[in-house]
Amino acid sequence: MFFRYLLLISLLQAVHPASFFPPIIKQKYYEIRGAWVATVSNIDFPQIRSTEAYEEHKNELKSIVENAKNLGLNTIYFQIRPNSDAFYKSKYECWSYYYTNLEGKAPNNGKDDPLKMILEYGQIYGIDVHAWFNPYRSTRSEIADDPKKSIC
């Protein structure tokens, strides 16, 4: 009896295989090809620390995203908090010394927000942007040794 049942299933499967097996759904393969953009000690960004360098910062971020696209990358990990400071407008965190050259001093141009700018360029060029922050470092010796530099 058991063998007859197997024979019947085999014959039905040969006639209507889709009724026995769910359709195969091909998933889009997503490969991350990314780069880290470090802001601590101005390793990768920005080249100029200033409250008045809006255009330079904007052009530099655009260049970073364009270069990533031209290299075939699809992801950027952007360091938004190198110390206990920020590379974005915040009610809670103060501006980074590595961005404005004076910790806690906001850029003069109200549009100067590097996180917002790199997110916008990421959308334009089809690059995923992930915010990366250091949860442990409160400061570095280059800032801590000079009380004028650290207010956070």
Side-chain angles (χ1 to χ4, degrees):
M1 183 70 166
F2 178 71
F3 292 109
R4 286 184 195 168
Y5 179 71
L6 284 178
L7 180 62
L8 179 62
I9 288 179
S10 298
L11 290 172
L12 287 174
Q13 188 176 359
V15 176
H16 296 290
S19 63
F20 286 90
F21 299 105
I24 295 172
I25 299 171
K26 291 187 178 183
Q27 292 183 334
K28 181 181 173 187
Y29 179 70
Y30 185 70
E31 177 181 73
I32 294 177
R33 297 176 310 277
W36 280 256
V37 177
T39 57
V40 66
S41 298
N42 302 97
I43 293 173
D44 298 314
F45 174 80
Q47 299 303 308
I48 299 171
R49 293 181 196 165
S50 174
T51 58
E52 299 178 12
Y54 170 69
E55 287 300 323
E56 290 85 352
H57 293 158
K58 184 177 170 183
N59 292 335
E60 192 176 346
L61 286 170
K62 183 178 181 184
S63 176
I64 287 169
V65 177
E66 282 179 340
N67 287 338
K69 184 69 172 180
N70 292 337
L71 290 169
L73 303 180
N74 59 16
T75 305
I76 289 176
Y77 298 95
F78 184 65
Q79 188 176 26
I80 60 168
R81 291 195 60 197
N83 292 327
S84 56
D85 53 7
F87 269 72
Y88 55 92
K89 290 180 187 176
S90 173
K91 294 189 290 188
Y92 306 105
E93 306 299 334
C94 59
W95 279 97
S96 178
Y97 161 74
Y98 300 119
Y99 193 66
T100 63
N101 206 33
L102 182 61
E103 196 170 57
K105 174 79 170 127
N108 292 343
N109 189 325
K111 295 179 183 177
D112 199 349
D113 184 339
L115 178 58
K116 184 177 179 182
M117 286 189 282
I118 198 166
L119 287 169
E120 288 171 355
Y121 287 129
Q123 281 190 319
I124 291 168
Y125 290 94
I127 301 286
D128 290 340
V129 177
H130 297 260
W132 155 42
F133 64 93
N134 189 320
Y136 301 113
R137 186 185 309 120
S138 62
T139 192
R140 292 180 54 91
S141 62
E142 65 194 76
I143 296 172
D145 292 344
D146 186 350
K148 294 177 188 171
K149 293 180 181 175
S150 181
I151 61 168
C152 294

